[in-house]
Amino acid sequence: MVKFTAREIRDILISLFVISLAFDYILNGRDLNATISSFGYMVVVVGFGFVLHELAHKFAAIRYGYWAEYKMWFQGLILALVTAYFGFVFAAPGAVYIHGYNIKPSENGKISLAGPVTNIILAILFLMAIPIASQYGLLSVAILGATINSFLAVFNLIPLVVLDGAKVFRWNPLIWIATMVLALVLLGYSVWGVQVFSMF
């Protein structure tokens, strides 16, 4: 059964606010006024990818019979804001902590993979929505959703100890390579390909 503690909900909301603010600040050229004016829809676009990423970890862990709870990482929150000031977001405001005995490497790898795969699926959905979004003046929102979700997938697949990529790589290097390549292709297409095609 999926359960959320009051502290977990609080941590998700705080992390959602901070990570949305960090991306908003960068994407608006570090213009504070523009950041404030666009913060509402940035919460929806960025927060959607962030929350579903973390929930994917939680649901995957619960599927294997483990207790899983999201906890914010105070240092990660500060680091996200500080790096945003310098033009880059270190997007690790917290993590889903899994409690259980004898967690198999394959289970741990699949649980870790669930987050980036969720972002990859979201990026593809945003890209597929571009023709419809462009008809309603929402092209920039669709491109932004694809770009941010593909970026979150690439970032979290970096094989550093604190990120998902390390556990996925340890479990199955070939799956890690295939997922990372797909995420990079989506990121490249979101950043450059869509703009090129929109010129014709």
Side-chain angles (χ1 to χ4, degrees):
M1 183 180 294
V2 178
K3 294 181 179 180
F4 292 90
T5 64
R7 184 178 68 177
E8 184 177 19
I9 294 172
R10 179 207 66 186
D11 286 3
I12 289 175
L13 291 176
I14 292 174
S15 300
L16 167 62
F17 178 86
V18 171
I19 206 71
S20 299
L21 180 62
F23 275 104
D24 192 19
Y25 186 63
I26 285 180
L27 292 170
N28 280 294
R30 294 183 283 184
D31 183 324
L32 191 56
N33 291 327
T35 298
I36 294 171
S37 65
S38 64
F39 184 71
Y41 85 80
M42 193 63 67
V43 168
V44 175
V45 176
V46 177
F48 191 55
F50 166 74
V51 171
L52 289 182
H53 175 107
E54 297 302 334
L55 290 180
H57 289 314
K58 183 181 178 78
F59 295 153
I62 291 172
R63 179 179 175 274
Y64 285 112
Y66 303 117
W67 170 258
E69 181 179 2
Y70 177 82
K71 294 180 181 179
M72 66 180 180
W73 178 37
F74 181 73
Q75 294 90 334
L77 295 173
I78 298 300
L79 195 56
L81 294 175
V82 171
T83 53
Y85 180 79
F86 293 102
F88 175 79
V89 179
F90 186 83
V96 171
Y97 289 80
I98 302 167
H99 305 279
Y101 296 102
N102 300 319
I103 300 177
K104 299 176 182 177
S106 60
E107 293 174 343
N108 202 21
K110 291 172 185 176
I111 292 169
S112 300
L113 185 64
V117 166
T118 297
N119 290 125
I120 287 172
I121 292 171
L122 288 172
I124 293 171
L125 290 175
F126 273 113
L127 287 172
M128 291 174 63
I130 284 177
I132 298 174
S134 61
Q135 295 178 16
Y136 294 94
L138 297 173
L139 177 61
S140 61
V141 175
I143 294 174
L144 182 62
T147 302
I148 288 178
N149 276 284
S150 53
F151 168 79
L152 288 173
V154 170
F155 177 81
N156 282 283
L157 283 169
I158 296 172
L160 295 176
V161 175
V162 296
L163 300 175
D164 300 325
K167 286 168 272 190
V168 176
F169 186 85
R170 211 160 30 234
W171 160 54
N172 193 317
L174 291 179
I175 288 179
W176 177 84
I177 291 172
T179 311
M180 178 61 98
V181 168
L182 177 57
L184 286 169
V185 169
L186 287 171
L187 180 59
Y189 184 74
S190 300
V191 174
W192 295 291
V194 173
Q195 284 82 348
V196 170
F197 282 111
S198 64
M199 295 171 62
F200 298 97

